[in-house]
């Protein structure tokens, strides 16, 4: 953006703080970890070991991810219990939650027909990446075949513009939230002036009024904050919030339809002499489909309510003791979208036949390179997915599913009291698979003595620590 906001006040040197300290001593030498030192004539043997130590170091990004993953309670312990409590309250007394309660809206969306549950799962699967669909599959194939860094840069610019264009509403809402938070972190007089400016920000129809919102930010709000920072010595949380505001403002600055069209034309122009006309026709057709108004019409009611609930920190009707629960839910959802997560995580909370159900499904991601390494003629690797679900009044279940073609192998762990009905349960599961066009393979039932899938998920993450997924 042409206007820069200076967020660091100048530091005076009148007190001699820039002069060397004559009494300063050199810092003691820290002991070096032998595993990270390349020994003579052993560099090749130690390359993998050194890389592994660097990746798994406690201060590495991956190490922090694993540490946070293990410290954060599972969603079944936070979101599941929160929803179960809300359902119980509504069953006992419908008036226990106010009509305007976000938690009530979330709980009311759990009662759904079977078709709606399937639509919810499909919606989550397709929506696991913004860049899903034939256009992005085609761009990935073109980029892989070309091996051209300049092409990759143009693809990246197009993806950034595409992301910004379809996120205008969310970005504008985030900017409004940033301004509200800054208003609570600065003196009352300045906060009042900022509130008057923030009222001019249009959040009802941000796509149509993108230009006016940008002008407001560039010409009024950011200069006002720049003047405040220049005259104050406020180095508190306000500075961090301003940094978030600037980041969101920079995203909004490249989110126009004009910028998206410009980046698309730039990409097509570069590809014009590098790919054939049939490929260009496909690209144009897929682009029109990707930016059509129909794209944004499908909406998951549950997740819209969940995001609204989390953005309010639990809402005004939630007790203070629940704040940590909402923080844990938010952290879990963020970890699910980490580049280190080799699974697509799908949630299925619902009230089925009068019983509350909270299910989680982890589907292993498979990259095209893994598929290419499979020898010709060899049976394709099965698609693996893992389920955990809790059914009200029945207990906790786990399932491991392997899908090879249309054949399904299923291992189900259930509460001990259901093992007496092992035969009918296995038969019913087989019939369900056949009814849905699948072939029933090996179906095994066992007693679920303790949860195993959460530990298995962590082990799978550790096994694929060098595989980074960069879908958004």
């Amino acid at each position: 953006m042409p206007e820069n906001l200076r967020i660091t006040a100048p530091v005076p040197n009148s007190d001699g703080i820039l002069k060397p300290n004559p009494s300063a001593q050199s810092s003691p030498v820290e002991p070096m970890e032998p595993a990270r030192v390349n020994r003579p004539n052993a560099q090749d043997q130690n390359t993998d070991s050194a890389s592994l130590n660097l990746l798994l170091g406690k201060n590495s990004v991956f190490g922090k991810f694993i540490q946070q993953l293990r410290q954060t309670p599972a969603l079944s312990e936070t979101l599941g219990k929160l929803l179960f409590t809300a359902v119980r309250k509504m069953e006992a007394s419908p008036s226990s939650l106010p009509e305007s309660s976000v938690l009530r809206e979330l709980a009311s969306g759990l009662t759904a027909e079977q078709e709606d549950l399937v639509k919810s799962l499909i919606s989550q699967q397709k929506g696991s990446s913004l860049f899903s669909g034939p256009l992005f599959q085609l761009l990935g194939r073109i980029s892989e075949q070309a091996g051209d860094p300049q092409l990759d840069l143009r693809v990246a610019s197009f993806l950034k513009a595409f992301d910004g264009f379809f996120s205008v509403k969310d970005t504008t809402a985030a900017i409004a939230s940033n301004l509200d938070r800054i208003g609570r972190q600065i003196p009352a007089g300045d906060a009042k002036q900022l509130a008057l400016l923030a009222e001019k920000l249009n959040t009802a129809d941000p796509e149509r009024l993108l230009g006016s919102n940008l002008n407001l930010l560039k010409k009024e709000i950011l200069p006002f904050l720049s003047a405040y920072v220049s005259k104050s010595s406020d180095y508190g949380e306000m500075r961090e919030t301003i940094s978030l505001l600037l980041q969101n403002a920079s995203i909004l600055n490249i989110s126009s339809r004009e910028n998206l069209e410009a980046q698309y034309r730039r990409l097509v122009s570069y590809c014009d002499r590098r790919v054939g006309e049939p490929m260009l026709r496909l690209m144009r057709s897929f682009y029109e489909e990707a930016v059509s108004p129909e794209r944004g019409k499908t909406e998951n009611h549950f997740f819209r309510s969940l995001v609204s609930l989390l953005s309010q920190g639990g809402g005004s009707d939630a007790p203070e003791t629940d704040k940590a629960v909402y923080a844990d839910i938010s952290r879990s959802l963020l970890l699910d979208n980490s580049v280190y997560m080799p699974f697509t995580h799908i949630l299925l909370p619902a009230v089925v036949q009068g019983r509350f159900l909270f299910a989680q499904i982890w589907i292993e991601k498979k990259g095209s390179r893994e598929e290419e390494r499979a020898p010709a003629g060899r049976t394709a690797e099965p698609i693996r997915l893992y389920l955990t679900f809790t059914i009200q009044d029945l207990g906790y279940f786990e399932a491991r599913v392997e899908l090879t073609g249309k054949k399904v192998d299923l291992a189900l762990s259930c509460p001990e009291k259901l093992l007496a009905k092992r035969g009918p349960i296995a038969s019913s599961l087989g019939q369900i698979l056949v009814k849905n066009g699948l072939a029933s393979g090996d179906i095994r039932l066992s007693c679920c003595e303790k949860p195993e899938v959460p530990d298995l998920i962590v082990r799978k993450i550790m096994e694929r620590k060098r595989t980074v997924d960069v879908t958004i």
Side-chain angles (χ1 to χ4, degrees), residues 56-360:
L56 297 181
K58 63 180 181 180
N59 293 323
S60 70
V61 178
F62 182 77
K64 291 295 183 183
F65 168 74
I66 292 295
Q67 180 183 7
Q68 190 69 67
L69 185 68
R70 286 173 170 161
Q71 290 176 350
T72 302
L75 274 174
S76 56
E77 300 176 17
T78 51
L79 180 57
K81 290 182 179 180
L82 176 68
L83 294 173
F84 181 75
T85 302
V87 170
R88 278 287 178 88
K89 282 184 178 181
M90 292 187 66
E91 287 177 348
S93 174
S95 61
S96 61
L97 294 174
E99 288 291 337
S100 59
S101 167
V102 184
L103 187 59
R104 180 186 180 91
E105 181 186 355
L106 188 69
S108 65
L110 299 180
T111 304
E113 300 295 332
Q114 181 177 349
E115 294 78 8
D116 295 329
L117 298 180
V118 174
K119 288 179 181 178
S120 175
L121 293 176
I122 294 175
S123 172
Q124 291 182 57
Q125 171 68 8
K126 289 183 177 180
S128 60
S129 170
L130 172 66
F131 304 126
S132 59
L135 173 64
F136 305 103
Q137 295 174 8
L138 179 65
L139 290 177
R141 191 158 64 247
I142 291 175
S143 173
E144 188 174 353
Q145 293 173 356
D148 183 355
Q150 293 300 318
L151 173 61
D152 292 342
L153 288 175
R154 286 162 174 79
V155 170
S157 297
F158 169 72
L159 296 181
K160 186 185 294 185
F162 186 90
D163 178 36
F165 176 71
F166 283 98
S167 304
V168 170
K169 188 173 183 179
D170 294 332
T171 306
T172 307
I175 289 174
S177 177
N178 295 150
L179 294 174
D180 178 67
R181 185 177 176 186
I182 293 172
R184 288 182 273 111
Q185 295 170 340
I186 61 178
D190 296 303
K192 188 174 182 179
Q193 297 181 53
L194 181 61
L196 293 174
L197 294 175
E199 287 178 359
K200 300 179 184 179
L201 190 71
N202 187 293
T203 56
D205 191 8
E207 292 91 349
R208 186 173 63 86
L209 298 174
L210 174 63
S212 61
N213 281 342
L214 282 172
N215 284 333
L216 175 66
L217 283 167
K218 295 178 183 180
K219 298 180 179 180
E220 297 187 57
I221 293 179
L222 293 184
F224 171 79
L225 292 174
S226 178
Y228 170 79
V229 169
S230 298
K231 70 181 182 182
S232 72
S233 56
D234 188 347
Y235 289 91
E237 295 181 0
M238 182 272 302
R239 292 294 181 102
E240 296 180 4
T241 312
I242 286 183
S243 298
L244 291 175
L245 173 65
L246 288 173
Q247 179 178 343
N248 289 323
S250 65
I251 294 173
L252 197 67
N253 195 47
I254 60 167
S255 299
S256 66
R257 179 74 181 231
E258 292 76 17
N259 181 55
L260 175 61
E261 296 284 355
Q263 296 300 334
Y264 170 70
R265 289 194 298 270
R266 182 169 175 255
L267 175 62
V268 170
S269 176
Y270 191 81
C271 291
D272 190 21
R273 295 183 299 275
R274 291 167 177 80
V275 300
E277 181 58 31
M279 193 76 77
L280 284 177
R281 283 199 301 269
L282 275 178
M283 188 186 299
R284 294 188 183 100
S285 173
F286 291 157
Y287 172 75
E288 293 299 327
E289 179 183 343
V291 299
S292 67
E294 299 296 324
R295 177 185 176 91
K297 286 192 175 181
T298 304
E299 186 176 24
N300 190 306
H301 171 76
F302 171 75
F303 274 97
R304 179 172 58 81
S305 304
L306 177 60
V307 170
S308 178
L309 179 69
L310 296 178
S311 65
Q312 296 181 20
S316 57
D317 56 336
E320 270 314 305
T321 53
D322 287 338
K323 299 300 181 184
V325 173
Y326 295 105
D328 286 336
I329 295 172
S330 301
R331 194 177 300 113
S332 295
L333 295 176
L334 288 173
L335 290 171
D336 286 342
N337 291 280
S338 167
V339 294
Y340 294 110
M341 180 60 71
F343 296 93
T344 297
H345 189 189
I346 296 176
L347 305 175
L348 182 61
V351 176
V352 182
Q353 298 179 351
R355 285 177 168 159
F356 177 70
L357 164 74
F358 184 78
Q360 299 181 86

Side-chain angles (χ1 to χ4, degrees), residues 7 24-25 31 166 185 193 291 301 321 379 414 420 424 446 453 470:
I7 62 173
Q25 299 180 0
F166 283 98
Q185 295 170 340
Q193 297 181 53
V291 299
H301 171 76
T321 53
T379 305
C414 59
S446 61
V453 168
V470 293

